[in-house]
């Protein structure tokens, strides 16, 4: 898969607080085309599982290699590394796409007959998303990694620049909003189309160019073209621009066209949104300003440059503070501090030995990522979450302004809502009363109607409950 975003984890891999997490190196195994594969997607998955079991048995018997088969992949432990092998069959992409098309056709038929089916519509949307995911993970990702490896060989500063750019994006808690592949394509454009500058010769120079690109590119009106294979003609570029202009309303906020994906920008299709992009632009401009001052001053210290990797936390509505000792990748934190282990309170030696027992190593088991998945599933309708995937010990939450605005009670939108208590009226001038009436929500103007609002304290309590054992504290930074 893509190169590491931090480059720091290997140096601290023996730290006790991160010793129970091990990243997997993803590998794809592809057989030659054969007509013997089943014509059913689920049946292919069962055959693949049988292959994993057989390959694992052969590795154990013939090579004495520890191999563990699962339903979805094969894990091979060798030389201190874990390789996660996934078998890919070309027919999978075709089958899952055909299934999505059949369901979509059925939905249109019901809608045209005046009898829409909400459950079938949802299933069709999920099938279409699954088809996109299968193609992206099994077809585009391996080809993307191969192209990035080619660039790494051509440009010595490409890999350091990509790592610094990923580290910067994660340090400002944009993990989950901007994919690593999108960052790599943005960095690739700096080396393939450096005009009016020369090709970056060092990582810090590349980082400065990346910040400038993110801060000043006209993302709303101009696509970012990344011709990694250097094959596009003038007609190809015109065609991409025409497609972008005609479909701008339905395309992602950041649109990146590459040789592998000219029309969809799949690596940014799930984010960032326009609001988050604006936040990224603001951070990029400030970081660029600081970095330019650092490079122009002879007496500048490294601590000054390090400030561009420190993000302010005051803009978030709520902060979820995590136990550093429970964060698997905490050793990669840019503000890493050794975790002080509490001494066992027992006076008995045998209990002290049990307390020092080494934690079980788990492959790709990041409890913080799992916690974020649960948070988004439970509260994604009401707030957005921001996090540093490289060992961050704080999660920022921003509530949806509409959810915090009093509105009429409706069953579909009543989750996590509480009755709205109108503040007691205070004597005010006629001008102030007129302004308040004009800014009041429309729902409040309806006489006698009960209003509801997001129950912030209840939501924060839910954060604590979901993260029991991981969450240290939850703070509300804005008045509810």
């Amino acid at each position: 898969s893509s190169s590491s975003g931090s480059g720091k984890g290997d140096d601290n891999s023996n730290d006790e607080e991160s010793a129970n997490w091990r990243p997997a190196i993803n590998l794809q195994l592809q057989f030659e085309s054969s007509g013997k594969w089943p014509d059913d997607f689920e049946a292919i998955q069962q055959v693949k599982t049988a292959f994993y079991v057989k390959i694992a048995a052969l590795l154990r018997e013939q090579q004495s290699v520890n191999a563990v088969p699962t339903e979805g992949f094969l894990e091979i432990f060798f030389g201190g590394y874990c390789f996660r092998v996934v078998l890919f069959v070309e027919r999978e992409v075709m089958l899952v796409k055909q299934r999505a098309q059949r369901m979509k056709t059925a939905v249109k038929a019901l809608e045209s007959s005046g009898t829409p089916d909400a459950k079938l519509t949802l299933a069709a949307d999920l099938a279409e998303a699954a088809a996109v995911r299968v193609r992206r993970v099994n077809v585009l990702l391996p080809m993307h990694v191969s192209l990035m490896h080619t660039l790494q060989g051509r440009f010595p500063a490409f890999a350091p620049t990509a790592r610094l750019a990923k580290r910067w994006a994660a340090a400002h808690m944009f993990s989950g909003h901007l994919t690593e592949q999108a960052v790599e394509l943005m960095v690739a454009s700096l080396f393939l189309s450096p005009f009016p500058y020369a090709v970056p010769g060092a990582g810090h120079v590349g980082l400065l160019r990346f910040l400038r690109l993110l801060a000043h590119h006209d993302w709303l009106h101009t696509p970012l073209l990344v011709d990694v294979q250097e094959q596009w003609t003038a007609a190809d570029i015109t065609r991409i621009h025409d497609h972008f202009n005609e479909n701008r309303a339905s395309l992602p906020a950041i649109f990146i066209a590459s040789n592998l994906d000219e029309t969809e920008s799949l690596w940014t299709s799930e984010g960032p949104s326009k609001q988050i992009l604006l936040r990224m632009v603001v951070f990029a401009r400030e970081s660029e300003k600081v970095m330019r001052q650092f490079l122009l001053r002879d007496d500048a210290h490294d601590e000054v440059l390090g400030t561009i990797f420190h993000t302010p936390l005051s803009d978030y509505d709520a902060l979820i503070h995590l136990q550093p000792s429970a964060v698997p990748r905490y050793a990669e934190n840019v503000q890493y501090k050794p975790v002080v282990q509490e001494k066992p309170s027992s006076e008995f030696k045998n209990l002290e030995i049990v307390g020092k027992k080494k934690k079980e190593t788990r492959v790709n088991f990041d409890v913080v990522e799992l916690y974020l998945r649960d948070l988004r599933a439970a509260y994604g309708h009401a707030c957005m979450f921001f996090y540093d995937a490289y060992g961050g010990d704080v999660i920022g939450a921003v509530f949806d302004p509409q959810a915090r605005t009093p509105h009429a009670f409706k069953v579909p939108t009543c989750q996590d809502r509480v009755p709205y208590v109108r503040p007691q009226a205070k004597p005010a001038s006629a001008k102030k009363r007129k302004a308040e009436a004009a800014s009041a929500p429309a729902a409040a103007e309806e006489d006698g109607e009960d209003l509801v609002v997001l129950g912030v304290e209840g939501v924060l309590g839910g954060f604590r409950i979901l993260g029991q054992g991981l969450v240290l504290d939850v703070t509300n930074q804005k008045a509810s």
Side-chain angles (χ1 to χ4, degrees), residues 347-392:
E347 59 180 337
F348 300 103
K349 190 67 177 179
N350 60 335
L351 296 181
E352 182 178 344
I353 294 174
V354 172
K356 293 183 178 180
K357 185 178 180 180
K358 186 177 180 180
K359 298 179 181 179
E360 178 185 359
T361 299
R362 299 183 179 183
V363 177
N364 273 9
F365 182 77
D366 192 337
V367 65
V368 181
E369 292 288 348
L370 297 176
Y371 176 53
L372 277 168
R373 182 192 64 185
D374 292 342
L375 285 175
R376 293 184 176 115
Y379 302 102
H381 64 282
C383 54
M384 293 186 297
F385 299 96
F386 298 83
Y387 174 63
D388 179 0
Y390 303 128

Side-chain angles (χ1 to χ4, degrees), residues 151-161 187-210 230:
L151 290 180
Q152 182 178 351
R154 286 179 57 188
F155 305 107
F158 173 77
T161 301
V187 171
S189 69
L190 306 175
F191 290 84
L192 296 169
S193 304
F195 184 81
Y197 307 103
V199 173
H204 65 278
V205 176
L207 176 61
L208 179 61
R209 304 273 180 82
F210 168 80
E230 299 180 333

Side-chain angles (χ1 to χ4, degrees), residues 394-409:
V394 176
I395 297 176
V398 176
F399 293 107
D400 183 356
Q402 293 184 353
R404 303 189 71 171
T405 302
H407 55 276
F409 173 82

Side-chain angles (χ1 to χ4, degrees), residues 140-428:
L140 295 182
L141 181 57
M143 298 173 68
H144 170 86
V145 173
S146 178
L147 291 178
M148 295 303 104
H149 183 71
T150 301
L151 290 180
Q152 182 178 351
R154 286 179 57 188
F155 305 107
F158 173 77
T161 301
R163 289 196 293 268
L164 286 171
K166 294 176 190 178
R167 177 69 274 190
W168 178 88
H172 291 288
M173 303 173 72
F174 294 121
S175 299
H177 298 284
L178 185 65
T179 64
E180 290 190 358
Q181 292 76 23
V183 174
E184 289 170 352
L185 287 173
M186 294 169 70
V187 171
S189 69
L190 306 175
F191 290 84
L192 296 169
S193 304
F195 184 81
Y197 307 103
V199 173
H204 65 278
V205 176
L207 176 61
L208 179 61
R209 304 273 180 82
F210 168 80
L211 295 174
R212 179 176 178 79
L213 171 66
L214 185 58
H216 301 290
H217 185 83
D218 186 3
W219 299 105
L220 181 61
H221 301 101
T222 308
L224 180 65
L225 306 183
V226 187
D227 185 10
V228 181
Q229 297 174 325
E230 299 180 333
Q231 296 178 344
W232 283 341
T233 63
D236 294 329
I237 296 176
T238 301
R239 174 171 48 80
I240 295 173
H241 276 277
D242 291 343
H243 169 78
F244 174 82
N245 294 327
E246 293 172 1
N247 302 276
R248 185 64 188 102
S250 61
L251 294 175
I254 293 180
F255 183 85
I256 304 177
S258 65
N259 301 97
L260 304 177
D261 179 20
E262 297 181 355
T263 59
E264 298 177 273
S265 189
L266 290 177
W267 300 121
T268 59
S269 60
E270 298 178 358
S273 63
K274 291 182 180 179
Q275 294 81 1
I276 295 177
L277 174 59
L278 291 176
R279 181 179 177 86
M280 294 173 63
V281 168
V282 171
F283 277 97
R285 287 177 178 173
E286 292 300 318
S287 297
E288 180 194 13
K289 185 187 304 183
V290 172
M291 196 166 184
R292 284 190 179 278
Q293 294 174 352
F294 171 81
L295 295 176
L296 292 175
R297 291 183 57 182
D298 296 333
D299 57 343
H301 300 284
D302 292 343
E303 290 77 7
V304 177
L305 183 60
T307 59
I308 70 172
F309 295 98
H310 295 169
T311 190
L313 300 176
S314 58
D315 293 337
Y316 297 102
D317 294 334
L319 294 177
I320 306 174
H321 300 273
L322 308 178
Q323 294 274 7
S325 59
V327 177
R329 304 179 66 175
Y330 180 67
E332 301 176 44
N333 193 307
V334 292
Q335 302 184 60
Y336 168 78
K337 297 178 181 178
V339 178
V340 178
Q341 301 291 335
E342 296 183 359
K343 295 182 179 180
S345 57
S346 175
E347 59 180 337
F348 300 103
K349 190 67 177 179
N350 60 335
L351 296 181
E352 182 178 344
I353 294 174
V354 172
K356 293 183 178 180
K357 185 178 180 180
K358 186 177 180 180
K359 298 179 181 179
E360 178 185 359
T361 299
R362 299 183 179 183
V363 177
N364 273 9
F365 182 77
D366 192 337
V367 65
V368 181
E369 292 288 348
L370 297 176
Y371 176 53
L372 277 168
R373 182 192 64 185
D374 292 342
L375 285 175
R376 293 184 176 115
Y379 302 102
H381 64 282
C383 54
M384 293 186 297
F385 299 96
F386 298 83
Y387 174 63
D388 179 0
Y390 303 128
D393 58 348
V394 176
I395 297 176
V398 176
F399 293 107
D400 183 356
Q402 293 184 353
R404 303 189 71 171
T405 302
H407 55 276
F409 173 82
K410 296 180 180 178
V411 174
T413 59
C414 67
Q415 184 178 356
D416 300 313
R417 300 303 195 270
V418 296
Y420 173 66
V421 179
R422 291 180 175 85
Q424 294 182 353
K426 296 181 179 181

